[in-house]
Amino acid sequence: MNCSETTDDEKSKAAWQKYHEARKAGDPERLLAVIDSMEQEEIVSPAKADHMRGLGYDAGWQMRIAEHYYKKAYEKYALNPSQDWDSYTDAGYRWAYLRFGRGDTEGALNVITGLLPQAKENKAFPKMLEAGLLMLMADCQIQLHQNDEARRNWQKAYEIQQSNKDNQAAVLPWISLSISASLFNMGDVEGAQEWLERAELEFPQYEQQGDSLIIEEWKGHFALWRARYLQATGHVAEAAATYAAVPRSYIMEPRGYMEAAEYLMDAGRYDEAAYWYEQMDSSYVATDGAQMTFENIASRLSPRYSAYRKAGRNGDAIVIADSISAAIDSALVWQKKNEASELSIIYQTHEKELALEESEAKTAIYRILAVTTFLVCLIIAYLLWRSYKYNKVLTEKNRRLYEQIEQHEQEQRQSIEQLEAAPEESLTAELQLYRRLCALMAEQRPYTDENLNRDTLAQLLGTNAKYVVQTIRECSHGETVGDFINRYRLEYVAHLLKTTDDPIGVIGELSGIPSRVTLSRLFRNAYGMTCREYRQVSQQKE
């Protein structure tokens, strides 16, 4: 064996190992440095390097940059697709998918229609990607109200994947379930049910070899969609039974939360739907602290607002409406920052290529870079100005909210004082018990125990839990026991935020809410601002 060949092979293996380690670590800068090195050492072609860069930015949710590199890879591979059909078609599919995702339906169709004819002409064209392109074309056609054409392409995609010798067991049920959901959204419930049944019949093949957690997730999706179809066809009791039979562990975040909430909205169970929207929102905040974008507003806040309104929870709906108003400004700021950052990166990479290809144009490049730097400075200055204005508006809004909260709490105190001063013989039995309950909460603070519930309250008052529930509902305008306890907890949180410098996590534990995520969600829903914002505005008032 030739020594140089062995060295090259070892170098290639080491480079690929570094690449996979960087991807697994989720370090974009490290990943890009490895890809640059692999291209310079000619371990991968320029087209392959661009495809890999696109995948890296895609994984990091920097979609504009990912689209830029998918486009470059696709165009380079188009000169000679036979060098790597898999990467060529994958880059084209992903470029078309991202164009479609940002509303460029015509651009997506141009890529798709440029690729699909090659599937018939060349046997090396990957069948799974051919099916994926047909599914994407169907999505584009639905956008253009070409529903019959979309149906034909769904059928073609399914048949191609069904006949694919390299068929992956999970792909067929995924195609069937995607078609089912699209048909349901188009109003064809009968067709949607047929494709759902087909997906369920295909799933056992994957069930034999798939991960148990993913299998449970799939079963949850099947059951939730089945409940929606039964509800839509008038089988209300059967739909409710199907939904009730879904194990809680099968409803996984966040897609499962959304499907559960949508079924409950269809069934008119708005209060329960609001719970799942809350879980979905808490999941996003707890797992990744996602920036509030317009997509998140549409998918997370707006449905939750509708559920609150239809459930008659107008107070919660008003809080969410205020959150939506604030989120729009936040989304505008974040979107401008994100777009400026991504466009700047794309521009910089383009300039590097020009520098390599046209070294004689250095002077022109320096001028362009100077102009770019100036523009970036202007953009940053503009974003800082927008951020200043937004913070000013937010502070003023929080001040108004704080004044309203103070007034509301004063009215509550006056109401309790009037109740305490009233002669016992003038009060109903429920009001007498409610007066004792309020005194208990004020004097002994049992709500600081995170395990406090209706049974504990009943024991402390010497009565039964059912009577406590009825009294709270009738005397506090329909509050549940949980709402009643949390109201006292949050008032105590607010008191400690105003009067102490204790960390927010400590205050939550002292108030009976040890979970930071739960405290954040409850406080924002009740007061329309975060604990930190409340502390700031209360100290300013002092």
Side-chain angles (χ1 to χ4, degrees), residues 22-275:
R23 286 200 69 179
K24 187 176 180 180
D27 186 345
E29 292 184 4
R30 176 182 166 192
L31 179 64
L32 292 170
V34 171
I35 295 170
D36 289 343
S37 175
M38 293 174 74
E39 182 181 5
Q40 290 170 6
E41 295 176 7
E42 298 183 349
I43 294 171
V44 296
S45 67
K48 182 66 175 178
D50 283 336
H51 183 221
M52 292 161 65
R53 290 184 184 103
L55 293 171
Y57 280 114
D58 199 338
W61 293 96
Q62 292 181 278
M63 299 308 182
R64 289 286 292 275
I65 308 174
E67 180 184 337
H68 171 74
Y69 279 110
Y70 288 144
K71 175 178 181 290
K72 289 180 62 180
Y74 171 76
E75 290 174 345
K76 288 176 181 177
Y77 276 125
L79 300 174
N80 181 18
S82 61
Q83 61 181 301
D84 190 342
W85 276 100
D86 286 342
S87 295
Y88 168 54
T89 51
D90 185 72
Y93 172 81
R94 291 174 183 273
W95 180 29
Y97 183 86
L98 291 179
R99 294 183 78 170
F100 174 76
R102 61 179 174 84
D104 185 7
T105 304
E106 181 180 357
L109 282 172
N110 284 338
V111 179
I112 295 167
T113 54
L115 275 170
L116 280 176
Q118 299 177 63
K120 297 179 181 179
E121 299 168 3
N122 198 300
K123 293 181 180 180
F125 198 104
K127 294 299 179 185
M128 191 165 68
L129 279 167
E130 182 182 2
L133 287 164
L134 285 167
M135 291 290 290
L136 184 55
M137 176 176 274
D139 289 338
C140 294
Q141 289 167 333
I142 290 172
Q143 290 283 328
L144 301 172
H145 307 290
Q146 299 172 353
N147 294 342
D148 291 338
E149 290 84 350
R151 290 172 188 268
R152 285 194 288 271
N153 282 317
W154 282 333
Q155 187 64 42
K156 287 181 186 177
Y158 180 84
E159 291 170 358
I160 288 170
Q161 189 58 35
Q162 194 176 39
S163 63
N164 184 9
K165 293 180 180 179
D166 299 324
N167 180 26
Q168 296 181 14
V171 176
L172 269 182
W174 171 79
I175 289 177
S176 298
L177 187 60
S178 298
I179 295 172
S180 176
S182 296
L183 287 170
F184 182 79
N185 292 330
M186 290 164 58
D188 184 359
V189 180
E190 183 178 350
Q193 287 180 311
E194 292 177 3
W195 280 99
L196 177 62
E197 291 169 0
R198 189 175 299 188
E200 290 171 334
L201 289 173
E202 295 156 351
F203 186 66
Q205 183 182 353
Y206 174 73
E207 196 171 2
Q208 295 174 4
Q209 55 184 277
D211 178 80
S212 59
L213 188 63
I214 297 176
I215 289 170
E216 289 180 357
E217 182 180 4
W218 272 87
K219 289 180 177 178
H221 293 317
F222 288 149
L224 292 171
W225 276 109
R226 174 67 62 191
R228 291 197 73 188
Y229 297 165
L230 289 168
Q231 181 70 28
T233 53
H235 299 83
V236 177
E238 191 176 351
T242 301
Y243 173 79
V246 181
R248 172 64 181 80
S249 61
Y250 284 17
I251 305 177
M252 299 186 185
E253 53 186 347
R255 180 181 168 190
Y257 294 168
M258 176 64 77
E259 290 169 350
E262 288 174 343
Y263 158 72
L264 292 167
M265 290 292 285
D266 293 343
R269 294 159 63 176
Y270 304 120
D271 208 45
E272 293 175 69
Y275 166 79

Side-chain angles (χ1 to χ4, degrees), residues 456-467:
T456 309
L457 285 176
Q459 291 175 3
L460 292 172
L461 293 168
T463 184
N464 63 70
K466 185 176 180 181
Y467 193 28

Side-chain angles (χ1 to χ4, degrees), residues 277-482:
Y277 285 130
E278 290 168 359
Q279 296 305 305
M280 183 176 68
D281 198 41
S282 297
S283 173
Y284 276 111
V285 173
T287 55
D288 63 1
Q291 293 283 358
M292 187 53 66
T293 64
F294 292 109
E295 181 180 353
N296 287 337
I297 293 170
S299 63
R300 289 163 50 190
L301 296 184
S302 295
R304 189 170 160 194
Y305 171 81
S306 298
Y308 282 152
R309 285 297 304 271
K310 292 181 179 180
R313 294 166 59 178
N314 293 331
D316 290 333
I318 291 172
V319 172
I320 288 296
D322 287 342
S323 297
I324 291 173
S325 177
I328 289 172
D329 283 342
S330 177
L332 284 169
V333 172
W334 181 83
Q335 178 177 291
K336 289 182 181 298
K337 286 182 178 179
N338 191 52
E339 289 182 352
S341 174
E342 291 185 346
L343 289 172
S344 178
I345 292 173
I346 292 170
Y347 182 79
Q348 289 168 18
T349 58
H350 179 61
E351 287 304 306
K352 287 180 182 178
E353 292 172 356
L354 286 178
L356 292 172
E357 296 172 1
E358 303 176 13
S359 57
E360 70 278 3
K362 287 183 179 179
T363 303
I365 291 174
Y366 291 148
R367 290 176 181 172
I368 293 172
L369 286 174
V371 172
T372 302
T373 303
F374 176 71
L375 290 175
V376 169
C377 290
L378 286 179
I379 291 171
I380 292 172
Y382 172 73
L383 292 175
L384 290 172
W385 174 74
R386 280 298 301 257
S387 177
Y388 168 77
K389 285 195 65 178
Y390 169 73
N391 290 332
K392 187 176 181 181
V393 171
L394 180 62
T395 301
E396 184 59 34
K397 179 180 78 70
N398 288 342
R399 285 175 182 166
R400 291 197 302 269
L401 280 173
Y402 180 80
E403 291 172 357
Q404 293 171 7
I405 291 164
E406 290 283 285
Q407 182 179 353
H408 179 67
E409 290 181 350
Q410 184 178 359
E411 291 172 354
Q412 282 188 328
R413 287 193 295 270
Q414 291 174 350
S415 176
I416 293 173
E417 289 172 0
Q418 291 174 1
L419 182 61
E420 292 173 347
E424 188 167 341
E425 60 273 9
S426 67
L427 300 176
T428 64
E430 287 81 3
L431 284 173
Q432 291 179 24
L433 180 61
Y434 188 69
R435 180 165 66 178
R436 289 172 55 204
L437 176 59
C438 292
L440 172 71
M441 299 295 276
E443 295 167 5
Q444 298 185 25
R445 295 178 179 169
Y447 51 81
T448 57
D449 179 1
E450 64 177 292
N451 298 315
L452 181 66
N453 56 30
R454 63 180 186 178
D455 295 322
T456 309
L457 285 176
Q459 291 175 3
L460 292 172
L461 293 168
T463 184
N464 63 70
K466 185 176 180 181
Y467 193 28
V468 170
V469 172
Q470 179 182 342
T471 296
I472 290 175
R473 184 173 63 248
E474 293 184 3
C475 298
S476 63
H477 308 292
E479 278 186 329
T480 65
V481 174

